[in-house]
Amino acid sequence: MPTNNATTRSILITGATGGIGAELAKRYARPGRTLILWGRNAERLTEVAALCCARGAAVITRQVDLTDGKAALDALFEDDTRAPLDVLILGAGLSDIKAASATTEDPNKVLQLALVNYTLPVTLATAAAQRMITRGHGKIAFIGSVAGFYELPFAASYSSSKSGLACFAEAARLDWGRHNIKVTLIVPGFVDTPMSRRLKGARPFLVSAGSAARQIIHAVATSQAEYVFPWQFRVLRVVERLLPQFIRKKILLSLKADQE
Ligand SMILES: NC(=O)c1ccc[n+]([C@@H]2O[C@H](COP(=O)([O-])OP(=O)(O)OC[C@H]3O[C@@H](n4cnc5c(N)ncnc54)[C@H](OP(=O)(O)O)[C@@H]3O)[C@@H](O)[C@H]2O)c1
């Protein structure tokens, strides 16, 4: 059975309580579809679930902390048994920026970030792919970031978690594609959500969470390998690849960022 918008019956979204995840949930909600919404914030989960139910979807919510890897893996298998997944969207994420006064990032935050942004997405994707392969179809989308294109000195853990995710997504796409599992890497620039609102300073080429969700749904529906948005970051990527390494390093070292 192909996995397109019309035949997608069951979708699991991690980070469904977040700016992008909640918009995705609302836009995916429709009669005949089961949405499995994961997040930590119970109140927000209930709020998003109510909106999705009002649009006719069946909704299962689950409070999951992705820093507890084993519990999350068990939950994935349990939810897939209840409502075999057609689509898995791995949207949960954490960002962090080294404080201007610090020599390094906080190791405890680095641990959390690595679990939520890299370890759990690749673990859950692997678990879902195993089940999807036996059923003969499925789609998995990772939400990366344009930060993964750059070795950001002030956000080493964030940028490397996203570049690791990109590498995994490509390898998995090649491997699982042989079993009709479509893998999409979503690569957003700045999206207007609580995550980017914590940043101090400019958010160039900012897009709304609604616009991001619309583009993500289209990229997944059309099984794109990698979808970078907004388009300005696609142009920057080409320009940046033409730069000599020493100039690239100078630019990276000169970048400044801070957060609330
Ligand atoms: N906003 C941007 O500018 C931007 C740009 C590029 C990429 N992205 C990526 O897009 C994705 C969604 O980000 P967003 O902008 O929607 O951010 P957001 O509004 O801050 O939402 C983050 C989501 O991740 C969940 N999460 C965080 N830590 C978790 C944990 N330990 N266990 C379970 N869930 C956890 C949050 O759940 P709770 O709130 O329930 O804790 C929330 O649902 C992330 O992967 C992010 O890296 C965002």
Side-chain angles (χ1 to χ4, degrees), residues 60-73:
I60 299 170
T61 58
R62 192 186 274 276
Q63 248 186 301
V64 188
D65 188 334
L66 296 176
T67 60
D68 184 348
K70 183 68 176 76
L73 186 56

Side-chain angles (χ1 to χ4, degrees), residues 15-21 39-41 64-67 91-94 116-117 143-146 158 162 188-191 193-196 198:
T17 47
I20 296 174
R40 285 178 307 180
N41 182 330
V64 188
D65 188 334
L66 296 176
T67 60
L94 282 176
V116 176
N117 287 15
I143 305 203
S145 167
V146 294
Y158 184 74
K162 296 299 188 180
F190 293 99
V191 182
T193 69
M195 181 180 283
S196 71
R198 283 194 295 274

Side-chain angles (χ1 to χ4, degrees), residues 41-247:
N41 182 330
E43 204 177 308
R44 182 90 177 114
L45 263 181
T46 308
E47 200 181 299
V48 178
L51 289 167
C52 295
C53 285
R55 294 183 180 198
V59 180
I60 299 170
T61 58
R62 192 186 274 276
Q63 248 186 301
V64 188
D65 188 334
L66 296 176
T67 60
D68 184 348
K70 183 68 176 76
L73 186 56
D74 290 346
L76 187 285
F77 284 129
E78 207 175 288
D79 285 347
D80 184 74
T81 301
R82 261 172 102 182
L85 299 181
D86 296 307
V87 175
L88 170 64
I89 312 245
L90 295 149
L94 282 176
S95 63
D96 192 31
I97 286 178
K98 188 179 77 169
S101 56
T103 50
T104 68
E105 293 179 66
D106 172 351
N108 287 302
K109 277 197 191 160
V110 171
L111 174 60
Q112 269 195 357
L113 193 148
L115 288 167
V116 176
N117 287 15
Y118 178 79
T119 309
L120 265 292
V122 308
T123 304
L124 296 174
T126 305
Q130 207 178 55
R131 291 281 183 95
M132 288 170 169
I133 287 169
T134 62
R135 296 193 287 268
H137 71 100
K139 293 192 175 201
I140 298 176
F142 296 93
I143 305 203
S145 167
V146 294
F149 292 155
Y150 312 103
E151 304 82 18
L152 299 176
F154 54 83
S157 62
Y158 184 74
S159 58
S160 65
S161 71
K162 296 299 188 180
S163 98
L165 205 55
C167 182
F168 183 90
E170 179 58 13
R173 193 182 68 79
L174 292 172
D175 190 22
W176 304 340
R178 294 180 292 198
H179 303 284
N180 197 29
I181 307 304
K182 316 283 189 207
V183 175
T184 297
L185 175 71
I186 303 294
V187 190
F190 293 99
V191 182
D192 191 18
T193 69
M195 181 180 283
S196 71
R197 281 179 217 135
R198 283 194 295 274
L199 295 170
K200 286 185 186 163
R203 294 178 292 166
F205 319 126
L206 185 70
V207 300
S208 70
S211 163
R214 191 174 39 74
Q215 295 185 65
I216 292 168
I217 289 170
H218 180 72
V220 174
T222 52
S223 302
Q224 299 195 32
E226 182 186 84
Y227 183 73
V228 182
F229 70 95
W231 63 267
Q232 289 90 337
F233 281 100
R234 294 198 281 273
V235 175
L236 271 177
R237 180 82 173 130
V238 174
V239 172
E240 172 253 324
R241 278 178 164 156
L242 299 174
L243 287 177
Q245 274 304 312
F246 79 97
I247 295 183

